[in-house]
Amino acid sequence: MDTKGLRRIHDYCYEIPVTYKKGMRVPGRIYATRSLIEQMDEEVREQTANVCLLPGIIKYGICMPDGHSGYGFPIGGVAAVDPETGVISPGGIGFDINCGVRLMATNLTFDEIQPRLKDLMQALFHRIPSGVGEDGIVKLTPSRIDDAMVGGAAWAVKQGYGTPEDLECIEEGGCMPDADPAAVSAKARERGRGQIGSLGSGNHYLELQVARPGDIFDPDLARRLIIHRENQIVVMIHSGSRGLGHQIATDYLKQFLSVMGSRYGLSMPDRELACAPFDSEDGRRYFRAMNCAVNYAFCNRQVLMHGVRSVLCDFFKKNEDELGLRLIYDVCHNTAKLEPHLVDGRERLLLVHRKGATRAYGPGAPGLPQRYRETGQPVIIGGSMETGSYLLVGTAQASEAFYSTCHGSGRVLSRHQAKKSFNGRELQRRLEDRGIYIMTSSLPGLAEEAGAAYKNIDEVIEATKRAGLSKPVARFTPIGTIKG
Amino acid sequence: MSYEIIEGVTRADIAVRIHAPDLQGLFREAGRALASIEIDNCESIMPVTSRTIRCEAAALDLLLYEFLQELIFIKDVEKIILLPASVDITEDGDRSILSAQAQGERIDRARHLTRTDVKAVTLHGLSVEQTGDGWVATVVLDV
């Protein structure tokens, strides 16, 4: 994107003036360096400006350092909306509701795992469902799916997939309260009931990573976030609400499109920004259905992690405590949530849309578990399978972005460009030569996820840090990846 | 091939432009484009089973949205990838009504080179238009 026309707030924040487009209610703000903005596509400007058209938007329409074009909102888009006067938009959340990342610690080290890495990855690939058309670990009857949509990760734990200690290390405790299965269509249930405990495809993955000594930026914080051994192995899981969430978003997008003009007198320049007043029957109903998908996704990642724990215990013939298999945290990056925020010195309840953006509460925030009250919320940022991923914590300064931060490295090449540029098989061999062992059900899909298809994760994290959105704790290098 | 992947619309997802001499052919090719994003070698999909798809909408672009959404639904629930064989579109007042026969089979990783799940059809830039020499559609698929 050309930075011409953007107003520099500081070296890590640029503003799209409110005069850029007719109807903008607030300015747009892009948190990134000039270099990162230049790597974003031109559509990001347009889509961020469109976010600023939303009725009820507060302060700014925001784009994160990893931003790139999507549909409706840009990926990396954040909008805080007054729930009394503003709207909710499925296009500000995405089809994969509560797509997110979780990070589990182990007390294994690289030296312990490396000689048997291939066998371990094959065991994981064999038992963790991934790719197009794969069923999940759990298959539910139509009535049982209601329990999962209401209970989230807590339901999974009740069924034996994990322990109660896991729940306190999940955003929102792994369960959003305002979830009503009556707001979810039969089609959505049908799509979701066989998929709990499956990774899916695209950019979803399960990865073994190593925390090298030179990549620990804050040893004290790292220790409190259970990164305490030299060359410690961690497990990262990236997945979402699968077909259930996709269908809920599809159903309500269509519904909002049909009523937004006739019932509410609203119009938006992009149909993907179809919306309804939050405080309306349509808005509230979508919110309750969306929360069902949020809970389903928590449940999905919980069951996936349990599957990984089982494989590791079987493989090493040790129990979970002996292997130190503790959940560090689980974050969402496609949601809308009601949260208290300070606006011009006054606390207000706001509906914060985050699409490809992570909530990042600073130290002392009331929504944090006791364990992380002093450190700030752990923030998990997944990079490409070739480069690395990060663990950060939230900061007080991120209040200006409604406690939001980036979610990944962000694409620089489209999937089609990446598929034309890289060969999946060659990429797999090249990575193996570098000590990264990849298992996939889709070599063409693998090519689309090549490291060069993404921005430099280190540059994104540096901008995130400099902008004050979060504080880096550790960087992880991938050693084994399962791509869907 | 009467569909192409188009650049400059979205980086994260896949934008497709489909051309056909007639409207029925446009919908058939759109279904084939969808299958080719999920299965890289979609010529390997055998007509083992068939499904009838019926949907309706207030406009042709929304009818295409509904049609592709049905194919995604069947893929998720039955694990069957379908290729449209015949498509019939009629008008009833201000509604467009589609009835299609689609054939295909369950995904078999031994033969089908799976690529990526399509999560949803988006409304971003969605269009169905008649041109001087036929019909053209643009669809962005969330993957």
Side-chain angles (χ1 to χ4, degrees), chain A residues 5-273:
Chain A
L6 296 180
R7 192 166 79 90
R8 180 184 161 279
I9 303 297
H10 52 70
D11 282 349
Y12 305 94
C13 183
Y14 291 78
E15 186 166 287
I16 304 170
V18 73
T19 50
Y20 171 71
K21 189 175 216 173
K22 194 180 168 196
M24 280 172 70
R25 296 163 192 267
V26 292
R29 284 205 166 176
I30 303 174
Y31 283 94
T33 56
R34 185 175 288 273
S35 156
L36 282 170
I37 291 175
E38 284 167 356
Q39 293 171 56
M40 294 175 182
D41 39 343
E42 195 55 44
E43 269 296 293
V44 172
R45 184 200 311 264
E46 214 55 38
Q47 292 181 346
T48 306
N50 286 345
V51 170
C52 300
L53 304 171
L54 289 172
I57 187 164
I58 304 285
K59 300 287 265 187
Y60 314 105
I62 297 172
C63 181
M64 289 292 144
D66 54 332
H68 57 88
S69 63
Y71 44 81
F73 276 43
I75 308 299
V78 177
V81 167
D82 179 346
E84 288 176 14
T85 61
V87 295
I88 186 166
S89 173
I93 295 152
F95 284 96
D96 198 356
I97 297 165
N98 190 6
C99 185
V101 195
R102 73 166 49 195
L103 184 67
M104 181 176 75
T106 77
N107 59 20
L108 295 160
T109 63
F110 179 71
D111 288 343
E112 288 165 340
I113 218 167
Q114 201 276 336
R116 301 174 68 194
L117 179 62
K118 280 190 184 181
D119 289 341
L120 174 58
M121 292 309 295
Q122 279 163 4
L124 286 166
F125 188 64
H126 187 64
R127 283 175 47 187
I128 305 298
S130 65
V132 179
E134 266 303 275
D135 280 329
I137 293 168
V138 179
K139 287 173 201 62
L140 297 169
T141 60
S143 62
R144 296 286 280 166
I145 197 171
D146 285 14
D147 299 337
M149 290 192 288
V150 172
W155 177 84
V157 167
K158 264 189 214 154
Q159 308 307 305
Y161 299 99
T163 65
E165 291 73 46
D166 294 335
L167 300 177
E168 72 172 53
C169 297
I170 304 176
E171 197 169 312
E172 309 294 345
C175 179
M176 290 297 288
D178 196 5
D180 180 7
V184 176
S185 70
K187 273 194 159 175
R189 287 153 189 270
E190 200 53 40
R191 277 181 79 175
R193 74 187 180 92
Q195 294 186 330
I196 290 181
S198 62
L199 280 172
S201 62
N203 61 358
H204 291 171
Y205 59 81
L206 158 64
E207 197 159 86
L208 300 189
Q209 304 167 344
V210 57
R212 300 196 186 283
D215 289 337
I216 306 294
F217 311 115
D218 188 322
D220 178 53
L221 273 177
R223 186 182 46 74
R224 293 158 83 179
L225 271 59
I226 334 177
I227 306 298
H228 48 77
R229 294 193 73 182
E230 207 166 273
N231 292 313
Q232 184 179 335
I233 300 295
V234 294
V235 180
M236 189 173 280
I237 295 170
H238 180 209
S239 189
S241 53
R242 311 285 289 112
L244 179 102
H246 311 161
Q247 190 66 39
I248 288 172
T250 297
D251 291 342
Y252 280 91
L253 187 62
K254 209 167 60 176
Q255 166 70 5
F256 282 14
L257 191 65
S258 69
V259 300
M260 66 183 283
S262 58
R263 198 172 289 169
Y264 303 112
L266 296 167
S267 86
M268 296 300 289
D270 179 346
R271 288 187 289 182
E272 275 292 333
L273 285 172

Side-chain angles (χ1 to χ4, degrees), chain B residues 32 36 39-47 83 105 111-112:
Chain B
R32 186 168 277 277
S36 74
I39 305 290
D40 213 38
N41 57 342
C42 76
E43 67 282 357
S44 67
I45 299 165
M46 296 292 143
L83 298 171
E105 62 176 327
R111 290 185 296 110
H112 300 141

Side-chain angles (χ1 to χ4, degrees), chain A residues 411 413-424 426 443-444 446-450 453, chain B residues 5-7 40 115:
Chain A
R411 295 193 77 92
L413 293 183
S414 71
R415 292 183 176 280
H416 187 57
Q417 286 169 325
K419 188 164 179 270
K420 278 195 301 186
S421 307
F422 308 104
N423 175 287
E426 277 174 22
L443 287 168
L446 188 70
E448 294 177 9
E449 294 299 319
Chain B
I5 306 294
I6 49 174
E7 295 291 352
D40 213 38
R115 185 177 163 197

